[in-house]
Amino acid sequence: MAATFFGEVVVKAPCRAGTEEEEEEEEAGRRETPEDREVRRQLARKREVRLLRRQTKTSLEVSLLEKYPCSKFIIAIGNNAVAFLSSFVMNSGVWEEVGCAKLWNEWCRTVDTTHLSPSESFCVFYHLKSNPLVFGSCPRRNMQVTILTCRHVTDYKTSESTGSLPSPFLKALKTQNFKDTACCSLLEQPNIIHDLPAAVLSYCQVWKIPAILYLCYTEVMTLDLITVEAFKPILSSRSLKGLAKNIPQGTEILKKLMTTNEIQSNIYT
Amino acid sequence: MASRYDRAITVFSPDGHLFQVEYAQEAVKKGSTAVGIRGTNIVVLGVEKKSVAKLQDERTVRKICALDDHVCMYFCKILTIFIGLTADARVVINRARVECQSHKLTVEDPVTVEYITRFIATLKQKYTQSNGRRPFGISALIVGFDDDGIPRLYQTDPSGTYHAWKANAIGRSAKTVREFLEKNYTEDAIANDNEAIKLAIRALLEVVQSGGKNIELAIIRRNQPLKMFSAKEIELQVTEIEKEKEEAEKKKSKKNA
């Protein structure tokens, strides 16, 4: 497909002049030198996902879930979901960092792993020191997974006009083994989940782990107070019950998080 | 479907959408929140003001602009705020200001608020119908008093439509602010000038994350010059609002007890 001078999209017509030149180019591309192979090997090594014990930076030899079996696994993806979790859930009780997942690919802009903010692109694992139910000696069979994430409202397909949607709003998607009710309406067809939340939910569905995904459709993808507060109904659900005790304090912590990211963009007034 | 019809402004999709115009409206949502209120004797414009970068000169980041200055019989002005792409806003404001002066020289009368709104809206519409150009990614709130002394508030959007409003909000989280205004805009609220100002600030505080220091506010009262509020004055209003909120909550808890 190509865009013309006037911007209309034109489907490329097949070339009638023959295809000999194209075949030659393909052959040249397929010839791979040992150099190429070495570069590719190095890139693959760089891109490995590594699980590290944060304080000592040594790698965790055993799988994290075997070392710290848990009954509730909560994963927040995206800066608004992470801000919600760190302000409302992690402010009550003492959460201890057990490890982090470090990964790299060519699109990563960050190399410094010592100063983490809620908007860093890799994953930190925490466990609740005081409450044995959250990370306890229960077998994995009783584990429940909760996933929180955000998506732009223009991704939401609906017959209504997007202007009339009560943005931001929550939608839920759960696996077959999740027997409780969601605290918001379920995601309707033809909407689909993308990326990491989809991978986690698919994994849980295949391995029959009860899991629920809460997806917040919002107009503002940067860290935003209203978007984070849209996750609040989840605090009363069974997934997070008992984990968020001090909600006013959570709001204060959230406001502090917001003020650190406030600089005026010059493009948008 | 959308991807085949959204690259060119001059192409309708089969179900009648002009996707570039709709996408331009998304660009507006990336800007700050602005609110405009039309009172009985006053018009109020408020906007969220984010902190500027350390080395940036704050004076050059003013969002509320005057379009015209009527000095004939009344000290009125037409105030406007554009939300969306900064550069587009600057270009349209300049064109509007030139039109205001041109009108005054030709017709010897200052423009009415409706005239200049219609001019801006027509300009925006032209850019939705030419090939090779994209629409302006801005919405505007235009307030002022006409010669007849009646306050006006208009809103325009990237498609080139304009409407008169009693109160409206544009930009990020505009929907939340508009819902707040729908609940709280009453005849009593706007009859008193001070209440109208407080309503604008309360509406902004619904979405502004760090309180009064991040709000820019301007008012025009009938027959009086424009007034830009200083940070101190806004803080005073915010303190009053918080006091009223506390008292209202105390009353509520007494009732429940």
Side-chain angles (χ1 to χ4, degrees):
Chain A
M1 295 231 263
T4 66
F5 175 73
F6 295 104
E8 296 92 21
V9 175
V10 169
V11 175
K12 192 170 179 190
C15 174
R16 289 182 293 180
T19 53
E20 296 98 61
E21 304 98 51
E22 284 174 18
E23 274 177 16
E24 272 182 31
E25 279 176 23
E26 273 177 35
E27 272 183 39
R30 258 185 258 131
R31 259 181 273 124
E32 202 182 62
T33 62
E35 261 179 357
D36 295 332
R37 255 175 269 138
E38 181 56 34
V39 168
R40 218 180 295 263
R41 221 178 293 138
Q42 281 187 4
L43 268 177
R45 222 179 299 146
K46 261 186 128 172
R47 279 192 184 168
E48 265 169 25
V49 179
R50 287 176 285 154
L51 278 182
L52 301 170
R53 214 185 302 260
R54 182 103 188 293
Q55 292 82 355
T56 56
K57 288 227 176 122
T58 56
S59 68
L60 282 171
E61 294 88 13
V62 294
S63 134
L64 202 66
L65 287 176
E66 279 175 28
K67 191 172 164 66
Y68 297 93
C70 64
S71 60
K72 281 187 187 173
F73 188 74
I74 306 163
I75 176 168
I77 301 162
N79 50 7
N80 282 306
V82 168
F84 168 75
L85 215 59
S86 44
S87 313
F88 289 97
V89 174
M90 288 173 61
N91 75 330
S92 354
V94 178
W95 291 81
E96 189 196 22
E97 219 177 282
V98 295
C100 70
K102 199 172 155 193
L103 55 89
W104 179 90
N105 62 38
E106 292 83 349
W107 289 284
C108 279
R109 275 176 276 168
T110 173
V111 188
D112 179 10
T113 59
T114 49
H115 304 288
L116 271 186
S117 74
S119 51
E120 289 297 313
S121 60
F122 51 94
C123 183
V124 186
F125 296 98
Y126 297 90
H127 86 230
L128 187 60
K129 250 180 152 172
S130 56
N131 188 344
L133 284 178
V134 179
F135 261 86
S137 49
C138 318
R140 206 200 292 184
R141 236 177 290 132
N142 289 345
M143 184 172 73
Q144 194 189 71
V145 175
T146 311
I147 311 159
L148 306 173
T149 188
C150 281
R151 198 92 191 148
H152 200 274
V153 72
T154 47
D155 277 349
Y156 184 67
K157 296 172 183 39
T158 171
S159 49
E160 299 171 31
S161 102
T162 44
S164 62
L165 290 171
S167 152
F169 57 93
L170 272 183
K171 287 286 174 190
L173 197 60
K174 50 187 182 162
T175 59
Q176 214 164 11
N177 287 57
F178 189 88
K179 299 298 177 206
D180 299 332
T181 47
C183 57
C184 61
S185 54
L186 293 179
L187 188 65
E188 310 91 352
Q189 290 196 355
N191 293 292
I192 60 173
I193 313 283
H194 300 79
D195 305 329
L196 182 58
V200 175
L201 208 61
S202 310
Y203 180 92
C204 293
Q205 170 69 8
V206 166
W207 291 101
K208 298 191 167 44
I209 303 173
I212 184 159
L213 160 69
Y214 287 106
L215 175 57
C216 179
Y217 281 104
T218 174
E219 286 175 343
V220 185
M221 288 308 282
T222 50
L223 205 56
D224 173 52
L225 188 67
I226 299 194
T227 305
V228 176
E229 294 199 333
F231 281 110
K232 267 189 174 164
I234 306 173
L235 291 174
S236 53
S237 74
R238 262 194 73 185
S239 321
L240 291 185
K241 206 175 217 173
L243 291 178
K245 294 187 189 85
N246 195 343
I247 293 182
Q249 193 191 37
T251 319
E252 283 310 310
I253 297 177
L254 188 59
K255 285 208 177 126
K256 276 200 206 120
L257 272 177
M258 298 289 166
T259 47
T260 52
N261 295 328
E262 270 276 50
I263 303 291
Q264 167 80 42
S265 154
N266 282 324
I267 304 181
Y268 294 100
T269 173
Chain B
M1 246 311 137
S3 57
R4 292 190 59 193
Y5 296 95
D6 66 355
R7 295 300 147 80
I9 183 59
T10 52
V11 177
F12 275 105
S13 75
D15 54 348
H17 288 279
L18 272 178
F19 281 108
Q20 280 299 305
V21 174
E22 294 183 18
Y23 297 169
Q25 280 164 344
E26 290 300 317
V28 173
K29 290 186 197 162
K30 287 191 139 50
S32 324
T33 317
V35 71
I37 295 191
R38 183 185 85 194
T40 325
N41 305 308
I42 187 175
V43 286
V44 187
L45 266 188
V47 65
E48 175 191 4
K49 189 178 63 168
K50 297 194 201 150
S51 38
V52 296
K54 247 187 176 174
L55 297 173
Q56 196 170 19
D57 191 342
E58 205 174 341
R59 278 184 310 120
T60 58
V61 190
R62 285 277 172 265
K63 300 194 182 189
I64 301 181
C65 313
L67 282 186
D68 192 18
D69 191 340
H70 308 342
V71 190
C72 29
M73 280 178 19
Y74 313 110
F75 278 103
C76 301
K77 272 195 208 270
I78 299 185
L79 279 189
T80 184
I81 176 150
F82 281 83
I83 294 292
L85 290 161
T86 318
D88 286 6
R90 190 188 67 233
V91 163
V92 174
I93 289 177
N94 282 341
R95 297 245 198 127
R97 283 172 170 167
V98 167
E99 177 62 20
C100 288
Q101 299 311 308
S102 165
H103 186 277
K104 222 185 264 186
L105 288 171
T106 322
V107 179
E108 291 186 22
D109 271 337
V111 295
T112 59
V113 185
E114 200 263 345
Y115 176 92
I116 197 63
T117 309
R118 196 169 359 112
F119 172 80
I120 291 172
T122 313
L123 174 65
K124 284 186 182 178
Q125 192 279 342
K126 273 200 206 122
Y127 279 69
T128 68
Q129 226 174 2
S130 307
N131 53 30
R133 296 171 164 187
R134 60 162 178 82
F136 286 107
I138 42 177
S139 283
L141 287 175
I142 303 160
V143 296
F145 281 84
D146 285 338
D147 272 1
D148 53 10
I150 300 185
R152 310 244 185 230
L153 164 65
Y154 286 92
Q155 186 237 353
T156 67
D157 65 20
S159 62
T161 50
Y162 73 95
H163 294 282
W165 289 75
K166 296 182 194 164
N168 200 359
I170 53 177
R172 193 174 67 144
S173 313
K175 203 150 196 257
T176 315
V177 179
R178 207 174 302 127
E179 283 167 2
F180 176 87
L181 289 171
E182 283 174 11
K183 277 195 212 126
N184 293 279
Y185 184 94
T186 57
E187 292 308 317
D188 296 326
I190 52 139
N192 177 337
D193 288 356
N194 235 2
E195 290 300 310
I197 296 171
K198 275 209 209 114
L199 180 62
I201 297 181
R202 276 163 58 209
L204 275 176
L205 286 175
E206 291 282 302
V207 297
V208 166
Q209 289 147 10
S210 29
K213 63 173 158 63
N214 280 13
I215 294 182
E216 197 175 304
L217 195 81
I219 61 166
I220 313 180
R221 285 183 227 260
R222 188 182 294 114
N223 299 347
Q224 286 187 33
L226 150 77
K227 179 175 164 58
M228 291 284 301
F229 273 52
S230 66
K232 252 193 237 164
E233 288 167 321
I234 299 180
E235 273 307 319
L236 272 169
Q237 296 279 352
V238 171
T239 339
E240 256 186 67
I241 290 171
E242 288 178 350
K243 229 195 288 176
E244 284 173 14
K245 227 189 198 174
E246 274 179 41
E247 287 175 5
E249 280 180 11
K250 268 193 213 153
K251 266 194 206 159
K252 228 192 201 174
S253 54
K254 269 195 197 155
K255 242 194 207 170
N256 289 343

